[in-house]
Amino acid sequence: QVQVVESGGGLVQPGGSLRLSCAASGSSFSRYFMGWYRQAPGKQRELVASMTAIGSTNYADSVKGRFAISRDNAKNTVYLQMNSLKPEDTAVYYCYAGYSAQYWGQGTQVTVSS
């Protein structure tokens, strides 16, 4: 039974930055596969960034060079640093944790607009 909670979303101007946080419960966090997904209006949910338990990362082509995923196992937390934000980054961002089962957070809204 793993609970996942996102925070850090909000309204930001184009070119700005945000840092999302995801706290996951459980005694085996260091073994979790962690990921950030997003869903924009009218679009399918897509993978933004992910990190395996051993630190391997993967990014969507649209965010490479702008976003960075990291994790702090001591705090059971994964982060998504988002820089040079664009209006097309506007979406609900969801945190994912995978271990013996799959767990999702409720999402945090990111809006990039002037």
Side-chain angles (χ1 to χ4, degrees), residues 15-92:
S17 298
L18 282 175
R19 187 193 191 200
L20 305 183
S21 298
C22 172
S25 67
S27 61
S28 301
F29 179 82
S30 63
R31 295 182 179 271
Y32 297 170
F33 171 91
M34 300 296 298
W36 287 98
Y37 292 73
R38 69 186 181 188
Q39 186 167 24
K43 294 186 177 181
Q44 293 279 347
R45 183 173 58 190
E46 65 175 348
L47 175 69
V48 177
S50 65
M51 177 175 280
T52 70
I54 60 173
S56 297
T57 59
N58 186 43
Y59 296 93
D61 288 342
S62 60
V63 307
K64 287 181 179 177
R66 300 189 297 120
F67 291 10
I69 188 171
S70 62
R71 66 193 293 164
D72 186 340
N73 290 337
K75 296 182 178 180
N76 276 30
T77 301
V78 64
Y79 305 94
L80 183 67
Q81 179 66 47
M82 304 186 294
N83 300 322
S84 301
L85 284 162
K86 304 174 180 179
E88 50 263 45
D89 295 318
T90 296
V92 177

